[in-house]
Amino acid sequence: MSNKSKRILVSNDDGYFSEGLQALVEAVSPLGEVWVVAPDREQSAASHAISLHRPLRIKEVRERWFAVDGTPADCAYLAINHLLKDDRPVLMVSGINHGANLAEDIMYSGTVAAAMEGALLGVPAIAFSLVARRNFDFAPAARFARSLVSSALSRPLPPRMLLNVNIPGGVEPEGYVITRQGRHSYGFEVVENEDPRGRKYYWIGGSDYQHEDIPGSDCNAVFRDKRVSVTPLHFELTDHGRLPDLSGWQVDGFNRHEPDGA
Ligand code: MN
């Protein structure tokens, strides 16, 4: 199969019109046949929600470029299980997100969720995020994305592989680090105010950013070392380290059985 015939699916959570998506499309276009299936409006922090209780509409905005009135995960689902079902993409990429998806961001991220849905459906996937709050210069991130995707196509990733990539903003990164998920906080602020009709409203999501200094973490790679962070993610949320803590537990009035029915 020639490289050009390999289908690459592109999505994001910022919308089909966003600058970061455009940069990612331009980055991977020389590497395969690019299909864009992305939300028709900003869906940042949509997490992995899917729309089971309302109809979804797909609008073809131009050739191989579709806007969906749903979530990032809806886009991946519709692309892989419907639009491209007869010739599935060999790789899915999501982003480039306008902002970081580090540490606990991953739990809320629509960018990661789109990629995760792809990976769940058997298409290896990579989420790209530019760690910046303003002055988004996507060029260095796009260069890294092109190189990584090129490598991933020549030496294919396993079917359920999911990589979370964060590129530091405002610098030309000289290298990358394979990392693990770190820990951070935005300060948990709740701003209470009053709307023009005299009713209270609340604005959540703080701005007092701090990350823990965890060796080998995504945050350290990006903020301390100004390097690209590449974290492999999986869907298995079982906390294996906590299983022994539960070994002595009893719930009154109920028998405790061993797994698999013993
Ligand atoms: Mn976003």
Side-chain angles (χ1 to χ4, degrees):
M1 196 194 296
S2 80
N3 229 9
K4 195 64 197 169
S5 64
K6 285 182 180 169
R7 286 183 165 180
I8 301 170
L9 172 61
V10 183
S11 193
N12 75 348
D13 74 357
D14 296 323
Y16 72 94
F17 43 77
S18 78
E19 197 189 333
L21 178 84
Q22 187 70 48
L24 186 54
V25 168
E26 283 169 22
V28 301
S29 280
L31 305 174
E33 184 187 87
V34 173
W35 289 70
V36 175
V37 184
D40 69 352
R41 69 202 76 178
E42 161 130 30
Q43 291 276 351
S44 292
S47 187
H48 207 118
I50 55 169
S51 305
L52 295 179
H53 303 292
R54 64 177 183 85
L56 290 166
R57 309 282 180 185
I58 303 175
K59 187 178 167 194
E60 186 167 9
V61 290
R62 54 180 192 262
E63 197 189 3
R64 300 200 300 269
W65 199 302
F66 301 86
V68 176
D69 65 344
T71 65
D74 290 336
C75 292
Y77 184 104
L78 280 174
I80 293 165
N81 292 325
H82 180 68
L83 292 168
L84 307 177
K85 70 174 188 295
D86 297 326
D87 185 3
R88 283 160 64 97
V90 296
L91 186 71
M92 173 165 186
V93 290
S94 179
I96 301 169
N97 189 55
H98 295 230
N101 277 308
L102 296 160
E104 288 94 337
D105 291 339
I106 292 169
M107 300 304 294
Y108 304 94
S109 170
T111 307
V112 174
M116 187 176 284
E117 183 64 18
L120 276 171
L121 296 172
V123 178
I126 309 171
F128 293 98
S129 302
L130 178 63
V131 183
R133 296 198 175 188
R134 59 190 72 80
N135 301 329
F136 292 99
D137 174 11
F138 288 100
R143 279 194 286 279
F144 184 80
R146 179 178 294 182
S147 252
L148 177 55
V149 167
S150 175
S151 306
L153 290 174
S154 59
R155 204 166 45 140
L157 303 173
R160 281 161 71 95
M161 184 90 162
L162 171 59
L163 299 177
N164 184 40
V165 176
N166 281 272
I167 300 102
V171 292
E172 185 67 45
E174 50 78 35
Y176 62 91
V177 194
I178 307 298
T179 56
R180 58 202 179 93
Q181 195 177 348
R183 274 200 291 269
H184 70 187
S185 148
Y186 293 91
F188 311 110
E189 194 178 15
V190 177
V191 173
E192 184 185 278
N193 225 318
E194 211 170 77
D195 72 20
R197 291 172 191 167
R199 289 175 21 174
K200 281 186 175 151
Y201 69 83
Y202 301 88
W203 205 292
I204 65 170
S207 54
D208 179 21
Y209 184 77
Q210 283 185 314
H211 70 89
E212 291 184 28
D213 180 7
I214 299 173
S217 67
D218 49 7
C219 297
N220 277 25
V222 166
F223 293 119
R224 199 192 59 187
D225 303 329
K226 306 289 180 202
R227 291 182 177 134
V228 175
S229 164
V230 180
T231 313
L233 301 178
H234 62 179
F235 330 112
E236 216 269 70
L237 296 180
T238 309
D239 190 347
H240 291 272
R242 292 285 183 205
L243 286 173
D245 295 350
L246 299 178
S247 64
W249 270 37
Q250 289 298 335
V251 178
D252 287 347
F254 291 85
N255 295 322
R256 176 168 173 156
H257 296 275
E258 293 308 310
D260 294 322

